[in-house]
Amino acid sequence: VQLQASGGGLVQAGGSLRLSCVASEQILSNYVMGWFRQAPGNEREFVAAISWRNAKRIYADSVKGRFTISRDNAKNTVFLQMNSLKPEDTAVYYCAVRMDTYYSSSMYKYASDFDSWGQGTLVTVSS
């Protein structure tokens, strides 16, 4: 599966952005989609993930209440709605997919848990 992320840009603190990630083929119900981010000089960190089967969601503590991950099954697309953005949210945002053969109720938040990655989209939040 190839992933194409888009929607990044420059926004003032307190503003909003919506990221999209389109998959090149059908996302199966056993899969988990995730968003990660990487700021300059930092390691890639988990942001959010969603189960394709039941839309179960998990978030990093740093974005809870501000970011929302969602999916459009028909369009094989995952979204990340980012509200109340802060300068510390500035990073390259990556979408990723974990392609399990069988459904698991487990959720995943480590980069090594995911199998395929998009190219990243830059989000810059000015103060």
Side-chain angles (χ1 to χ4, degrees):
V1 175
Q2 294 184 338
L3 304 174
Q4 180 73 38
S6 62
L10 174 63
V11 64
Q12 289 188 334
S16 299
L17 280 175
R18 189 192 196 204
L19 305 184
S20 300
C21 176
V22 181
S24 61
E25 56 189 76
Q26 184 179 1
I27 299 298
L28 302 181
S29 62
N30 300 332
Y31 293 3
V32 175
M33 299 290 293
W35 286 98
F36 290 74
R37 65 187 182 187
Q38 188 167 17
N42 290 358
E43 294 185 353
R44 193 168 297 190
E45 65 172 0
F46 171 76
V47 175
I50 186 168
S51 166
W52 215 250
R53 169 168 290 203
N54 56 18
K56 180 180 178 181
R57 300 168 173 87
I58 58 171
Y59 296 94
D61 288 343
S62 59
V63 306
K64 278 182 182 177
R66 299 189 299 122
F67 290 11
T68 302
I69 188 170
S70 62
R71 76 199 199 289
D72 185 328
N73 293 36
K75 296 182 179 180
N76 295 310
T77 302
V78 62
F79 304 99
L80 186 68
Q81 178 67 43
M82 305 185 295
N83 299 329
S84 302
L85 282 161
K86 305 175 181 180
E88 51 263 45
D89 294 317
T90 295
V92 177
Y93 284 71
Y94 298 89
C95 59
V97 60
R98 176 183 171 93
M99 297 180 283
D100 280 334
T101 302
Y102 301 101
Y103 171 71
S104 169
S105 61
S106 301
M107 292 298 287
Y108 304 94
K109 58 180 181 179
Y110 298 101
S112 58
D113 292 331
F114 290 79
D115 302 304
S116 182
W117 295 79
Q119 85 290 358
T121 185
L122 177 61
V123 172
T124 303
V125 184
S126 62
S127 57

